[in-house]
Coordinates of all heavy atoms in Angstrom, one line a residue:
D202 N 13.1 16.2 19.3 CA 13.8 16.9 18.2 C 15.3 16.9 18.5 O 16.1 17.1 17.6 CB 13.3 18.3 18.0 CG 11.9 18.3 17.3 OD1 11.5 17.2 16.7 OD2 11.2 19.3 17.4
E203 N 15.7 16.8 19.8 CA 17.1 16.7 20.1 C 17.7 15.3 19.9 O 18.9 15.1 19.7 CB 17.3 17.1 21.6 CG 17.0 18.6 21.9 CD 17.1 18.9 23.3 OE1 16.7 18.0 24.2 OE2 17.5 20.0 23.7
I204 N 16.8 14.3 20.0 CA 17.2 12.9 19.9 C 17.3 12.4 18.5 O 18.3 11.7 18.2 CB 16.1 12.0 20.6 CG1 16.1 12.3 22.1 CG2 16.4 10.5 20.4 CD1 15.0 11.6 22.9
R205 N 16.5 12.9 17.6 CA 16.5 12.4 16.2 C 17.8 12.6 15.5 O 18.3 11.7 14.9 CB 15.3 13.1 15.4 CG 14.0 12.5 15.8 CD 13.0 13.0 14.7 NE 11.6 12.4 15.0 CZ 10.6 13.1 15.5 NH1 10.8 14.4 15.8 NH2 9.4 12.6 15.7
P206 N 18.5 13.7 15.7 CA 19.8 13.9 15.0 C 20.8 12.9 15.5 O 21.7 12.5 14.7 CB 20.2 15.4 15.3 CG 18.9 16.0 15.6 CD 18.1 15.0 16.3
I207 N 20.8 12.6 16.7 CA 21.7 11.6 17.3 C 21.5 10.2 16.7 O 22.4 9.5 16.2 CB 21.7 11.6 18.8 CG1 22.2 12.9 19.4 CG2 22.4 10.4 19.4 CD1 22.0 13.0 20.9
V208 N 20.2 9.8 16.7 CA 19.9 8.5 16.2 C 20.1 8.4 14.7 O 20.5 7.3 14.2 CB 18.4 8.2 16.5 CG1 18.0 6.9 16.0 CG2 18.1 8.2 18.0
A209 N 20.0 9.5 14.0 CA 20.2 9.5 12.6 C 21.7 9.2 12.2 O 22.0 8.8 11.1 CB 19.8 10.8 12.0
K210 N 22.6 9.4 13.2 CA 24.0 9.1 13.0 C 24.4 7.7 13.3 O 25.6 7.3 13.1 CB 24.9 10.0 13.9 CG 24.7 11.5 13.6 CD 25.5 12.3 14.6 CE 25.4 13.8 14.3 NZ 26.1 14.6 15.3
V211 N 23.5 6.8 13.7 CA 23.8 5.5 14.1 C 23.8 4.6 12.8 O 22.8 4.3 12.2 CB 22.8 4.9 15.1 CG1 23.1 3.5 15.5 CG2 22.7 5.8 16.3
P212 N 25.0 4.0 12.4 CA 25.0 3.2 11.2 C 24.4 1.8 11.5 O 24.6 1.2 12.6 CB 26.5 3.1 11.0 CG 27.2 4.0 11.9 CD 26.3 4.2 13.0
D213 N 23.7 1.3 10.5 CA 23.2 0.0 10.6 C 24.3 -1.1 10.9 O 24.1 -2.0 11.6 CB 22.3 -0.4 9.4 CG 21.0 0.3 9.3 OD1 20.6 0.9 10.4 OD2 20.4 0.3 8.2
T214 N 25.4 -0.9 10.2 CA 26.5 -1.9 10.4 C 27.0 -1.9 11.8 O 27.3 -3.0 12.3 CB 27.7 -1.5 9.5 OG1 28.1 -0.1 9.7 CG2 27.3 -1.7 8.0
Q215 N 27.0 -0.8 12.5 CA 27.4 -0.7 13.9 C 26.4 -1.5 14.7 O 26.7 -2.3 15.6 CB 27.4 0.7 14.4 CG 27.6 0.9 15.9 CD 27.4 2.4 16.3 OE1 28.2 3.2 15.9 NE2 26.4 2.6 17.1
V216 N 25.1 -1.3 14.5 CA 24.0 -1.9 15.2 C 24.1 -3.5 15.1 O 24.0 -4.2 16.0 CB 22.6 -1.4 14.8 CG1 21.5 -2.2 15.4 CG2 22.5 0.1 15.1
L217 N 24.2 -3.9 13.8 CA 24.2 -5.4 13.6 C 25.5 -6.0 14.2 O 25.4 -7.1 14.8 CB 24.2 -5.6 12.1 CG 23.0 -5.1 11.3 CD1 23.1 -5.4 9.8 CD2 21.7 -5.6 11.9
S218 N 26.6 -5.3 14.2 CA 27.8 -5.8 14.8 C 27.7 -5.9 16.3 O 28.1 -6.9 16.9 CB 29.0 -4.9 14.4 OG 30.2 -5.4 15.0
D219 N 27.1 -4.9 16.9 CA 26.9 -4.8 18.3 C 25.9 -6.0 18.8 O 26.1 -6.6 19.9 CB 26.3 -3.5 18.8 CG 27.4 -2.4 18.8 OD1 28.6 -2.7 18.6 OD2 27.0 -1.2 19.0
L220 N 24.9 -6.2 18.0 CA 24.0 -7.3 18.3 C 24.7 -8.7 18.2 O 24.5 -9.6 19.0 CB 22.8 -7.3 17.4 CG 21.8 -6.1 17.7 CD1 20.7 -6.0 16.7 CD2 21.3 -6.1 19.2
D221 N 25.6 -8.8 17.2 CA 26.4 -10.1 17.1 C 27.2 -10.2 18.4 O 27.3 -11.4 18.9 CB 27.3 -10.0 15.9 CG 26.6 -10.2 14.6 OD1 25.4 -10.7 14.6 OD2 27.2 -9.9 13.5
A222 N 27.8 -9.2 18.8 CA 28.6 -9.2 20.0 C 27.8 -9.5 21.3 O 28.2 -10.2 22.2 CB 29.4 -7.9 20.2
T223 N 26.6 -9.0 21.3 CA 25.7 -9.3 22.4 C 25.3 -10.7 22.5 O 25.2 -11.4 23.6 CB 24.4 -8.4 22.3 OG1 24.8 -7.0 22.3 CG2 23.5 -8.6 23.5
V224 N 25.0 -11.3 21.3 CA 24.7 -12.7 21.3 C 25.9 -13.6 21.7 O 25.7 -14.5 22.5 CB 24.2 -13.2 19.9 CG1 24.1 -14.7 19.8 CG2 22.9 -12.5 19.5
D225 N 27.0 -13.2 21.3 CA 28.3 -13.9 21.7 C 28.5 -13.9 23.2 O 28.8 -14.9 23.8 CB 29.5 -13.3 20.9 CG 30.7 -14.2 21.1 OD1 30.6 -15.4 20.8 OD2 31.8 -13.6 21.5
W226 N 28.3 -12.7 23.8 CA 28.4 -12.5 25.2 C 27.4 -13.3 25.9 O 27.7 -14.0 27.0 CB 28.2 -11.0 25.6 CG 28.3 -10.8 27.0 CD1 29.4 -10.5 27.8 CD2 27.2 -10.7 28.0 NE1 29.1 -10.3 29.1 CE2 27.8 -10.5 29.3 CE3 25.9 -10.9 27.9 CZ2 27.0 -10.4 30.4 CZ3 25.1 -10.8 29.0 CH2 25.6 -10.5 30.3
A227 N 26.2 -13.4 25.4 CA 25.1 -14.1 26.1 C 25.4 -15.6 26.2 O 25.2 -16.3 27.2 CB 23.8 -13.9 25.4
K228 N 26.0 -16.1 25.1 CA 26.4 -17.5 25.1 C 27.6 -17.9 25.9 O 27.6 -18.9 26.6 CB 26.7 -18.0 23.6 CG 25.4 -17.9 22.7 CD 25.7 -18.5 21.3 CE 26.7 -17.7 20.5 NZ 26.8 -18.2 19.1
K229 N 28.6 -17.0 25.9 CA 29.8 -17.3 26.6 C 29.8 -16.9 28.1 O 30.5 -17.5 28.9 CB 31.0 -16.6 25.9 CG 31.3 -17.1 24.5 CD 32.4 -16.4 23.9 CE 32.8 -16.9 22.5 NZ 33.9 -16.2 21.9
S230 N 29.1 -15.8 28.4 CA 29.2 -15.2 29.8 C 27.9 -15.2 30.6 O 27.9 -14.8 31.7 CB 29.7 -13.8 29.6 OG 30.9 -13.8 28.9
A231 N 26.8 -15.6 30.0 CA 25.5 -15.4 30.7 C 24.6 -16.6 30.6 O 23.4 -16.4 30.8 CB 24.8 -14.1 30.2
K232 N 25.1 -17.8 30.4 CA 24.4 -19.0 30.4 C 23.3 -19.0 29.4 O 22.2 -19.6 29.5 CB 23.7 -19.2 31.8 CG 24.7 -19.3 32.9 CD 24.1 -19.5 34.3 CE 25.1 -19.5 35.4 NZ 24.4 -19.7 36.7
G233 N 23.5 -18.4 28.2 CA 22.5 -18.3 27.2 C 22.7 -19.5 26.2 O 23.8 -19.9 25.9
N234 N 21.5 -19.9 25.7 CA 21.5 -21.0 24.7 C 21.4 -20.4 23.3 O 20.3 -19.9 22.9 CB 20.3 -21.9 24.9 CG 20.3 -23.1 24.0 OD1 21.0 -23.2 23.0 ND2 19.4 -24.0 24.2
G235 N 22.5 -20.4 22.5 CA 22.5 -19.8 21.2 C 21.6 -20.5 20.2 O 21.3 -20.0 19.1
E236 N 21.2 -21.7 20.5 CA 20.3 -22.5 19.6 C 18.8 -22.0 19.8 O 18.0 -22.4 19.0 CB 20.4 -24.0 19.9 CG 21.8 -24.6 19.7 CD 22.2 -24.4 18.3 OE1 21.4 -24.7 17.4 OE2 23.4 -24.0 18.1
K237 N 18.6 -21.2 20.8 CA 17.2 -20.7 21.0 C 17.3 -19.2 21.1 O 17.3 -18.6 22.2 CB 16.6 -21.3 22.3 CG 16.4 -22.8 22.2 CD 15.6 -23.3 23.4 CE 15.3 -24.8 23.2 NZ 14.5 -25.3 24.4
L238 N 17.5 -18.5 20.0 CA 17.7 -17.1 20.0 C 16.5 -16.4 19.3 O 16.1 -16.7 18.2 CB 19.0 -16.8 19.1 CG 19.3 -15.3 18.8 CD1 19.5 -14.5 20.1 CD2 20.5 -15.2 17.9

Side-chain angles (χ1 to χ4, degrees):
D202 287 342
E203 296 174 324
I204 295 175
R205 285 195 178 104
I207 292 174
V208 177
K210 296 178 182 178
V211 181
D213 287 345
T214 53
Q215 171 188 297
V216 172
L217 301 178
S218 176
D219 285 353
L220 290 175
D221 285 343
T223 302
V224 173
D225 190 53
W226 178 88
K228 293 189 291 186
K229 293 180 178 178
S230 306
K232 303 179 181 179
N234 182 353
E236 299 299 314
K237 294 186 175 183
L238 174 62

